[in-house]
Structure formats: C-alpha cells, structure tokens
Amino acid sequence: MTRIAVVGSGYMGGGMAQVFALAGHPVVISDATAEIAEANLERIRLETQQFEEQGLFPAGASATIAANITAAASIEEAVTGAEFVEEAVPERIEVKHATLRRISDANPSGIIGSNTSTISITRLAEAVSHPERFLGVHFSNPAPFVPGVEIIPHPLTSEATITAVEQLIEGSGKVGARVKDATGFVLNRLQYALFHEATQLVDEGVATTEDIDAIVRSTFGFRLPFFGPFAIADMAGLDVYAFCYASLQEDFPERFATPAILSERIARGELGTKTGGGFRAIDPARIPELVAYRNRAYAKMKALLDELGPSPFDEPAAESQS
Ligand SMILES: NC(=O)c1ccc[n+]([C@@H]2O[C@H](COP(=O)([O-])OP(=O)(O)OC[C@H]3O[C@@H](n4cnc5c(N)ncnc54)[C@H](O)[C@@H]3O)[C@@H](O)[C@H]2O)c1
C-alpha cells in the first residue's frame, strides 16, 4: 500500500483518486480550498455508488472508496508524509508551478507526478526540489475506465522513481508506457495528428464530420483496441505501405513523405509478418495464432458494438424517431 495524495480533485483528480483507492491505497485529496475538496469527495462518493449500481465498479467499491479516500483542508496537509503525490490542477503553467512548489516544500522526499496533458515535464520540474523524484504520470479521461497511463520522466528523473511509479500504475490495474518528455508526449501528438487531418478533410469537402467519425470508428479505429500502428503496418505488409505512400505523395508530397524507418526495413527485405520481420518482433511460427486472435477480437468487437448500440451522437433522439 502506498500513501497517496491527489492535489486538484476535479475531473481527473477525482478519477485517479478512485483508481488508487479501489486498488487499496489510502488517498488524501486536496484542492484550492477545504470546501472544494470536501464537495469533490462527496461527488466522488456519489459517483462511485452510481458506478457500483451500474455494475461498472465491483461490488463493495463504495465501501472501499469511503474507507480509503479522505479530504484534507489544504495541499500541505494532504501531501505531508505521502509516498506519491499526483498533481491535477488546471493546465496553466503558473498554476502548476505554484502548486508544485507548495507540494515539494511540504513533502521533500515523496515521488511527485503531474497529470499534465501537454506542458513540458522539464519545465514543470523547475518548481520541484529534488527533481529526480518528479515525472509526468498522464492518465486518460475517464481515468476509472481508460487503462493507459503515459509515464514521462524528464532527464533528471531517477530510475528508482520511474520503476516505483510503473509498479504503482500496474498494481492499480492500469497499463503504463514510458514516453520521453517531448511536446504532446505520444498520446496527444497522435490524437492531434489524426484530428488535424480530419479537419482538413472537412475543409476540403471530402466528407462530413459525421461520415469521417463513422469511417474512423468502423474501419481502422475498429482495430486500435487490439493493435497499434506498427503491429497494423506489419500485418498489412510494409511493401503495401510503401505503395500507398507513393500514391499519397502525388498530391501531398511533403506531408506523406515515405518515412526512413519504413524504407530501411523494406530495403532489408523485412516486409512485416509475411516475411517474419517488420517493426514488431514475432516468431513466424505464431502467425496462425496471431490471425486467429485478430479474427476473434474483431468478431467480438462487432458483437460488443451491436450489443451497446450507437452512441447518442449517432442515434436519433427518442422523440424524433416517432
Ligand atoms: N479532462 C481531461 O480530459 C484530461 C485528460 C488528461 C489530462 N488532463 C489534465 O489533468 C489536469 C486537470 O484537469 P481536469 O480536467 O481534472 O480539470 P478540472 O478543472 O476538472 O480540475 C482541476 C481542479 O483543480 C482545482 N484547482 C484549481 N486551482 C488550484 C490550486 N491553485 N490548488 C489546488 N487545486 C486547484 C480546481 O478547483 C479543480 O477541482 C490538467 O493538467 C489537464 O490537462 C485532463
């Protein structure tokens, strides 16, 4: 069990507090004032109760949350003696700097993580004493249900800090991945690249927002819970990717220049799973197992989507159906 403090108990702070508390850790939340922290604790308790009733949290979750999360009157009270502090105040560097200064003054030895979406961890570290104990610990929204967490050391973060956070994240049922401190990290850089291209397609009149969302959800987005872009490229064939790049370059020569790491693999005869080599290592003897997994995954994904039905974005409101 790790004594945890969450500073900034809003949307993300509340969700992360739930995750850690459900994993059995004692969590103290704090906010700009004692009143806000108390009100947010009440909100977290109510929300947990609803999640339990809806079957989204395990039976007994409300009792666990009630026992494990408390609200402190101040940031200092919350973080004193905590082994891990997660900062989740608004995404403004001056607010984060001031908060991190207060955290590190009150707690000179605990590990400190920031949930920043976009701000450089190296810049945030300027406000932390003993910066080797500081790093980005970036949960996604909604934190109780989205498994992935970006773990972002800055150049001075110690290996012991990173390992301790990786263990805490894995032990709380989440999936951590290490990322260098580069603008946008991995998640937002990729997410915004997709969004940027999608907005260009709308601007050019190629498709509507509704049709683009439908295509993303029902084609390549459908694969993404199971395979990332490199596994997908390996399965498609890197030579196929090179042909597609050549075609895209006719109209977008700079935006779709063939990546060097793709050309290098093709030059070595590594064309993906069909040649036993590509971006991701896999024993060729396991290809039939991979294909079977893929087919099972996609069939089950289709069944899940059929069971859930469309989201309210895509389902007409009840009154307009009649
Ligand atoms: N909302 C998302 O989808 C999302 C996803 C990933 C990461 N993040 C990041 O998480 C962080 C928090 O975002 P959020 O969506 O939870 O915001 P939010 O507005 O819901 O919560 C911020 C909380 O910080 C409190 N706060 C404000 N000033 C404070 C101070 N000086 N000291 C202590 N507490 C203070 C607010 O009262 C509020 O409770 C941001 O860095 C954001 O970029 C957000």
Side-chain angles (χ1 to χ4, degrees):
M1 280 196 312
T2 305
R3 290 170 66 193
I4 293 173
V6 174
V7 177
S9 51
Y11 198 53
M12 293 305 294
M16 293 185 291
Q18 286 172 321
V19 169
F20 291 130
L22 280 176
H25 303 290
V27 181
V28 185
I29 61 167
S30 62
D31 210 284
T33 66
E35 291 70 31
I36 301 176
E38 273 300 335
N40 282 340
L41 178 58
E42 202 39 48
R43 174 181 55 80
I44 292 167
R45 285 185 174 156
L46 212 70
E47 194 182 69
T48 304
Q49 223 167 335
Q50 289 165 351
F51 289 159
E52 186 178 342
E53 283 160 13
Q54 293 161 355
L56 305 179
F57 274 178
S62 306
T64 308
I65 295 284
N68 285 353
I69 308 186
T70 53
S74 67
I75 293 176
E76 286 74 12
E77 186 186 311
V79 306
T80 299
E83 293 157 277
F84 176 67
V85 181
E86 175 77 350
E87 168 278 305
V89 298
E91 188 80 346
R92 297 212 315 273
I93 190 155
E94 67 282 5
V95 180
K96 294 223 184 256
H97 267 162
T99 306
L100 288 167
R101 224 166 266 126
R102 284 178 67 182
I103 294 170
S104 65
D105 284 351
N107 182 332
S109 59
I111 293 175
I112 303 173
S114 171
N115 195 49
T116 182
S117 308
T118 50
I119 303 174
S120 151
I121 301 301
T122 306
R123 284 202 65 198
L124 290 179
E126 291 163 9
V128 179
S129 63
H130 309 295
E132 65 279 2
R133 64 187 172 130
F134 178 68
L135 75 178
V137 182
H138 182 211
F139 280 71
S140 275
N141 159 33
F145 305 120
V146 180
V149 178
E150 288 185 303
I151 296 175
I152 312 146
H154 64 96
L156 298 182
T157 310
S158 71
E159 191 56 35
T161 297
I162 304 169
T163 307
V165 169
E166 283 174 343
Q167 285 171 355
L168 177 67
I169 293 301
E170 302 287 330
S172 302
K174 296 293 177 186
V175 181
R178 274 194 209 197
V179 173
K180 270 198 185 149
D181 183 24
T183 306
F185 313 128
V186 169
L187 188 166
N188 277 319
R189 186 138 150 214
L190 290 177
Q191 188 164 253
Y192 278 82
L194 174 62
F195 184 70
H196 186 75
E197 206 60 36
T199 60
Q200 302 222 339
L201 287 165
V202 174
D203 281 349
E204 292 165 18
V206 176
T208 62
T209 54
E210 290 78 9
D211 285 336
I212 293 172
D213 275 0
I215 290 164
V216 171
R217 285 190 292 102
S218 61
T219 63
F220 71 89
F222 186 88
R223 304 178 180 125
L224 292 176
F226 311 102
F227 304 106
F230 293 109
I232 289 172
D234 277 353
M235 289 191 284
L238 303 193
D239 50 341
V240 175
Y241 265 44
F243 295 139
C244 290
Y245 264 110
S247 153
L248 285 162
Q249 280 155 24
E250 285 176 21
D251 277 336
F252 315 105
E254 280 158 25
R255 201 145 88 236
F256 291 103
T258 309
I261 60 170
L262 180 70
S263 304
E264 285 159 17
R265 279 169 176 76
I266 293 169
R268 289 200 298 264
E270 298 169 8
L271 304 182
T273 48
K274 64 185 162 194
T275 61
F279 287 107
R280 301 287 311 278
I282 184 165
D283 179 351
R286 297 192 64 194
I287 301 301
E289 190 189 332
L290 175 68
V291 170
Y293 174 91
R294 181 200 65 189
N295 292 345
R296 207 165 61 244
Y298 293 173
K300 282 193 177 278
M301 175 60 110
K302 174 71 170 66
L304 173 66
L305 290 170
D306 288 346
E307 181 197 323
L308 286 174
S311 86
F313 272 123
D314 296 305
E315 187 181 37
E319 54 270 34
S320 64
Q321 281 176 332
S322 56

